[in-house]
Amino acid sequence: MSEQGARRGQEDDWWRQLYGEDGAEGGEGAGGGGAAGGAAQAGAAPAAGAPTGAGPADVGPAEASDTLDERVASVLRTVGPPGWGDRPPPQPTPADAPGRAAPAAPAPPDETPPRAAPAPPDETPPRPEPDRPAPPADKTPTPGPVPPGEPPARRVPSPPPPPSEPIPLKATGPGARPRDVARSAPPPAPAVMYIGDRPPTYEAEPAALPAADPAALDELVPDTALEGAQYGSLTLRAASQRGDSARYRGDVRRDALLTARFGAGRHALILVAVATGRPAVEGAHRAARDACGWIGGAVGRSYTQLAEDIRADRRGDLKAGLQRLTDRSYGKLRARALERGGPPEQYTAALRCLLLPADPDCRTRVFFGVGAGGLFRLRDGAWTDLESVATDHGTPAPIPAPTRATDAPDRPGPGLPHGPGTAEYPAHPEPFLFHAAFARPGDALLLCSAGLAEPLRQEPAFAAHLADRWSTPEPPGLVPFLATAQLRAKGHAKDRTAVAVWEA
């Protein structure tokens, strides 16, 4: 019994020297369990890196608490560079218990001082938490005794390694196939902006807006008008835009476009009218708009009889009736010129119209009009000019008798001089144009103003490009149609209006 008591007293002295008074008091307060508690703590000590089999002589004076940070600092002072462990340590927390297993720690850094990790661009870099010491590495040598009065240094963690390049992952599975570059769709061909050796003088995009009257804002004309429809076997595309010259100078578009449907079902009749006012004449766009409006009203009031004549192919009756309606429209234009106090030969417009029955069993297309412009047929990739077939070489259309007192042409208006071409001597209108044709599947009929007819007749490359773009199995959409009609050619800067009808 004396030998066991002496051995227990020796163990109590060893633990008292290792953990100070607190450890001794804890052992004594446990009573008979002090030996068991000491044994448990002794069993945890080797796991923390303490050498086994050490006696009381192996432990130095413990003036400071023996913590994990102190052991790590002691190891760094022993194996690290000079001054490595001379930094103040963080304050220990209750989580740093002597018997707690220590996690792994990275290897000691080399001679180069570690660089701080880059901080996010918009956030303040976080400060290191003082209550979380850096974990030591596995198989760390046993730290030596800490000299009294010398605090262990804080260990700065090493910067994280730079991110590596992303590794491309290959798709796997039954449906994953490598992309075949050779089979990918080719990029679309660039649009042809102009034909010829040199670009046109003016820019392609609008530069100036027309001047506006605050009291007549309803008379403003947009730069571009676009229309389309599909009835039975026909597909309609229509576009009207200012010319390059008008876009540069800020002039209003003198071309007018009207598309209207009268009736419904198989008995419906579609009218497309294109009018162009005279150049360099004030109010020319109003004359073009009035010409389209008046011929549209006349056709709309007689569309039932006109549709019946078209289906029955009564071309003689059609020509006589349409010429009479056209003459009435031009008579109104001359009367409006007198009301405005201007010469009738200036307040006029070139007018061209198409009548298209909506009946899918009727493929007769009727053209009529007066003035400059063009009528073409595209068949098998080649253009045919139908102007000579449509020209009536007979006598000019007669001038209708005035229907109102203000329409009387027997006396000039205020300030209107006497002479040829005035109200006293009215100008003779141009010949009336009429043509009725049977459309075949695959044909395309083009009705246009002079701004498009002139380059189509005078520039072979221009005509070839339009034929190539519009000789497709399917009619183009509105935007592709407008892009093709905008093809520019040097010396052709007038307003353009194009109406195309594709037959299925």
Side-chain angles (χ1 to χ4, degrees):
M1 295 298 293
S2 60
E3 182 179 356
Q4 292 179 357
R7 183 177 179 181
R8 180 177 179 181
Q10 183 180 1
E11 290 179 357
D12 292 344
D13 294 340
W14 185 85
W15 285 108
R16 185 179 300 107
Q17 293 177 7
L18 180 62
Y19 292 103
E21 297 298 331
D22 295 337
E25 293 175 2
E28 293 174 1
Q41 294 179 1
T52 58
D58 297 334
V59 181
E63 297 182 0
S65 59
D66 186 13
T67 62
L68 184 61
D69 288 345
E70 293 173 352
R71 296 188 180 187
V72 173
S74 176
V75 172
L76 294 179
R77 282 194 298 269
T78 303
V79 300
W84 179 262
D86 299 334
R87 301 178 183 177
Q91 297 296 330
T93 59
D96 301 329
R100 187 174 179 177
D110 52 5
E111 296 295 335
T112 305
R115 294 181 300 176
D122 298 334
E123 299 181 0
T124 304
R127 301 177 61 182
E129 300 179 4
D131 54 350
R132 291 187 179 180
D138 295 338
K139 300 181 180 180
T140 304
T142 305
V146 180
E150 181 179 355
R154 178 187 302 176
R155 180 181 179 275
V156 179
S158 301
S164 59
E165 295 294 333
I167 301 176
L169 300 179
K170 295 183 179 180
T172 57
R177 296 180 181 178
R179 178 177 297 180
D180 189 1
V181 180
R183 295 183 180 180
S184 60
V192 179
M193 299 302 298
Y194 65 90
I195 55 101
D197 299 335
R198 294 178 299 171
T201 305
Y202 302 103
E203 297 293 336
E205 299 300 330
L209 292 172
D213 183 3
L217 294 179
D218 56 341
E219 295 187 0
L220 292 177
V221 181
D223 176 88
T224 304
L226 197 60
E227 189 60 274
Q230 183 175 1
Y231 287 93
S233 61
L234 65 89
T235 300
L236 173 66
R237 297 288 183 264
S240 180
Q241 69 168 15
R242 277 197 301 169
D244 293 344
S245 177
R247 286 178 166 183
Y248 176 78
R249 293 185 171 90
D251 296 336
V252 68
R253 174 164 54 92
R254 294 182 295 107
D255 278 8
L257 173 65
L258 172 67
T259 55
R261 174 180 60 86
F262 304 106
R266 300 172 62 93
H267 302 284
L269 184 64
I270 302 170
L271 168 68
V272 183
V274 176
T276 303
R278 300 196 63 174
V281 174
E282 183 180 358
H285 64 286
R286 300 188 189 96
R289 184 182 58 186
D290 290 343
C292 288
W294 285 329
I295 193 64
V299 170
R301 288 186 291 269
S302 307
Y303 85 92
T304 303
Q305 183 62 40
L306 291 173
E308 182 63 28
D309 291 343
I310 294 175
R311 281 192 294 268
D313 199 17
R314 292 191 287 262
R315 301 192 180 187
D317 295 342
L318 281 172
K319 180 179 179 180
L322 293 174
Q323 185 173 2
R324 183 168 57 253
L325 297 179
T326 304
D327 292 341
R328 291 178 182 176
S329 299
Y330 274 94
K332 292 183 178 181
L333 281 177
R334 286 187 289 270
R336 178 62 61 87
L338 295 178
E339 293 177 357
R340 299 174 62 89
E345 71 274 9
Q346 292 188 0
Y347 197 81
T348 185
L351 178 65
R352 290 175 173 250
C353 304
L354 273 180
L355 290 179
L356 309 171
D359 188 354
D361 298 332
C362 181
R363 288 183 175 269
T364 303
R365 311 298 181 231
V366 177
F367 158 77
F368 69 97
V370 174
L375 177 65
F376 304 89
R377 180 181 60 205
L378 180 61
R379 176 179 292 175
D380 299 331
W383 290 106
T384 301
D385 192 348
L386 302 178
E387 188 75 12
S388 59
V389 181
T391 303
D392 184 2
H393 296 284
T395 58
I399 301 175
T403 57
R404 296 182 301 169
T406 56
D407 297 341
D410 54 352
R411 63 178 184 274
L416 185 64
H418 295 267
T422 62
E424 186 174 1
Y425 302 95
H428 293 282
E430 299 185 38
F432 177 75
L433 307 175
F434 175 85
H435 181 67
F438 181 80
R440 300 178 182 177
D443 286 356
L445 191 65
L446 176 63
L447 174 71
C448 57
S449 62
L452 187 64
E454 291 176 359
L456 196 59
R457 291 190 179 107
Q458 300 173 8
E459 303 290 344
F462 188 93
H465 179 77
L466 264 63
D468 179 68
R469 291 300 180 94
W470 290 344
S471 296
T472 55
E474 295 294 332
L478 290 178
V479 174
F481 176 77
L482 175 62
T484 304
Q486 288 177 334
L487 179 65
R488 306 168 66 218
K490 189 173 181 61
H492 302 279
K494 296 181 180 179
D495 296 348
R496 289 184 183 180
T497 301
V499 178
V501 180
W502 279 268
E503 303 290 341

